[in-house]
Amino acid sequence: MEKVSIIGLDLAKRSFQAHGARADGGVGFRKKLSREKVLAFLAEQSRCVVAMEACGSAHHWGRAIRDMGHDVRLIPPAYVKPFVKRQKNDAADAEAICEAASRPTMRFVAVKTEAQQARAMLFRARDLLVRQRTQLINALRGHLAEHGVVAPQGPANVKVLAEAIEDATTSLPLLVVELSRVFLEQIDGLSKKVADLEKVTLHEAARGATTRRLQTMPGIGPITAMAIETFAPPMAIFKHGRDFAAWLGLVPRQHSTGGKQVLGKTSKMGQRDIRRLLIIGAIAVVRWARRKGASDGTWLHRMLARKPRMLVAIALANKMARSIWAMLTKNEDYRAPVAATA
C-alpha cells in the first residue's frame, strides 16, 4: 500500500470506506473497512491528513484519530457534495471528501471536545422536552376548543384549561375530562423535567468564565451563553466580528452580479440554535427599550425612532454577535454603548 498524504474517510455505522491520495493527487488506495478495523488501519498509516464529513459521530472519530497523531479535518457535507463524480456510493463519497480536503480555500469544522458534546446533549435534551410540552399544550387547546373551552397560548395558561376541565359548569363529556387529565399529567411531568434541566444549565453556566462573561451582555442568559460556548467554534478563526455574524446567518443573502449588489433577507445559513436565541434575546431588549425607553443618543434609540421593531431586533442580533466576538477575543466583559454627542 502506497504512502498517502490525505485519507478521505466516509463514516457509517458498520461499513466505512477509506480513500488515500498521494501528494501528487493520484490514488494511493481504496479500501472498505469494518467499524472494528478503522482505528487499527489508521494506526498503521504514516502521519497524514484524515478528512471526514462533519456528520453524526464525526467528532468522536476525530478525537480518536487525532490522538494517533493524524491531522483531522471535518468538512461540512454541503461542501463535499460538489466533488462527487456522477453516481453516489461510499467509494465516490470518500474520494470526494479527499478531494475537498485538498482545496486550499476549503472551510473546516473544529473537532468538539467531550465536554462540549456533553453540554450540547444538555441543551438538546431541554429543547426537545420544551417542544414536546408545547405539542401537548397545543393539542389539548385544540381538543378543548372543539368543546367551547378556549385559552391563550403558552405554558402559563395551562392552569386556565385545568380549571375549565374540573369546573362542573362546563358540562364536558366524561371521556373528554379523563383524556384531558392524561394531557395535564404529561404536561406537568415535562414541566418538572424542564425545570430540573434548567437548574443544571444554570449550574453549568455559572462554572465557566466564558459563560459568565457572555451573560454581562443584555439579552444573553445562561441558555444562550451555554449555546454559544458549546456550538460556536473558537473566535480566533474569525478575522472580524462581522464574519461571526455571517457564520450565524445574521447577514443579508446576496444575489449580486456584474458589480451590482442585490441584498435580500437574512441568509439563515449558520448555526440556527445560536441565531434563534440571539434573536429572541434581541426582541426582549427591544421590547424593554420600547416600554422603558432607550437612552437618548444611543444606536438603539435612533433605530427605534425610524425603523420597524422586528427589523431593529434582527439588526440588534447582528450587533450582539459582533460584540460577542469582540468580548471573547479581547477577554473583556460587555461595555454599555456611549450615547453619541451632537
Side-chain angles (χ1 to χ4, degrees):
M1 190 171 294
E2 300 183 42
K3 184 177 180 180
V4 297
S5 60
I6 300 178
I7 297 176
L9 188 63
D10 184 47
L11 300 178
K13 293 181 180 178
R14 298 184 180 277
S15 179
F16 293 65
Q17 183 72 34
H19 180 94
R22 299 190 300 268
D24 61 359
V27 178
F29 60 80
R30 294 187 178 96
K31 191 171 182 63
K32 185 177 181 180
L33 302 166
S34 64
R35 184 182 185 90
E36 295 78 13
K37 297 180 179 180
V38 172
L39 295 180
F41 173 77
L42 293 175
E44 297 173 355
Q45 306 301 314
S46 58
R47 185 174 180 179
C48 62
V49 173
V50 178
M52 298 172 286
E53 286 184 324
C55 56
S57 75
H59 295 279
H60 161 71
W61 288 108
R63 290 191 298 267
I65 296 171
R66 187 175 56 188
D67 291 342
M68 296 179 178
H70 294 295
D71 182 11
V72 176
R73 297 181 184 178
L74 302 183
I75 310 174
Y79 294 167
V80 175
K81 188 175 181 180
F83 294 94
V84 178
K85 299 173 183 175
R86 290 186 178 269
Q87 306 299 326
K88 183 190 181 304
N89 52 59
D90 292 347
D93 289 345
E95 183 179 357
I97 293 170
C98 201
E99 183 68 24
S102 65
R103 299 298 90 192
T105 58
M106 182 54 60
R107 298 174 182 176
F108 301 102
V109 177
V111 178
K112 288 183 172 59
T113 64
E114 289 186 343
Q116 282 180 304
Q117 290 196 289
R119 290 193 294 269
M121 184 175 179
L122 171 63
F123 180 87
R124 300 287 191 203
R126 178 195 171 276
D127 190 55
L128 175 62
L129 294 181
V130 169
R131 284 187 281 113
Q132 289 178 342
R133 182 180 63 180
T134 302
Q135 291 174 351
L136 287 171
I137 293 173
N138 290 339
L140 180 60
R141 289 178 61 249
H143 289 308
L144 293 181
E146 298 294 334
H147 296 275
V149 179
V150 179
Q153 296 180 358
N157 297 301
V158 173
K159 61 182 180 181
V160 177
L161 298 175
E163 292 172 357
I165 292 169
E166 301 300 335
D167 189 356
T169 60
T170 56
S171 301
L172 291 173
L174 179 60
L175 182 59
V176 173
V177 173
E178 292 178 351
L179 292 175
S180 298
R181 288 171 179 168
V182 174
F183 274 91
L184 291 173
E185 181 181 352
Q186 295 295 319
I187 293 170
D188 183 60
L190 287 173
S191 297
K192 292 179 180 178
K193 292 178 182 178
V194 169
D196 292 339
L197 291 179
E198 286 178 350
K199 291 180 181 178
V200 178
T201 302
L202 289 172
H203 176 71
E204 291 290 329
R207 290 174 54 189
T210 300
T211 50
R212 288 198 301 269
R213 175 172 290 115
L214 289 171
Q215 290 180 74
T216 61
M217 178 186 294
I220 294 183
I223 295 175
T224 306
M226 282 280 292
I228 293 171
E229 187 183 36
T230 301
F231 298 116
M235 292 296 159
I237 71 173
F238 302 108
K239 291 184 179 180
H240 308 283
R242 60 178 177 270
D243 294 339
F244 178 56
W247 181 81
L248 289 175
L250 287 170
V251 295
R253 181 189 292 270
Q254 292 194 41
H255 297 276
S256 305
T257 183
K260 182 179 180 181
Q261 285 192 346
V262 181
L263 303 179
K265 299 180 180 179
T266 53
S267 65
K268 299 182 181 180
M269 287 184 176
Q271 216 291 328
R272 61 181 180 180
D273 297 300
I274 300 177
R275 181 178 64 248
R276 172 172 58 89
L277 291 170
L278 286 181
I279 292 175
I280 292 173
I283 291 174
V285 173
V286 169
R287 185 180 297 140
W288 177 265
R290 287 175 62 90
R291 188 178 303 167
K292 301 296 182 179
S295 301
D296 293 339
T298 60
W299 174 87
L300 185 57
H301 180 267
R302 297 195 303 270
M303 288 289 289
L304 287 174
R306 57 191 179 89
K307 296 293 183 180
R309 182 176 61 180
M310 195 61 194
L311 188 149
V312 176
I314 300 299
L316 179 59
N318 178 285
K319 196 175 182 68
M320 291 169 64
R322 288 181 283 148
S323 299
I324 289 169
W325 176 86
M327 291 165 58
L328 297 185
T329 53
K330 298 178 182 178
N331 293 322
E332 296 179 358
D333 290 348
Y334 177 77
R335 291 181 292 180
V338 180
T341 56

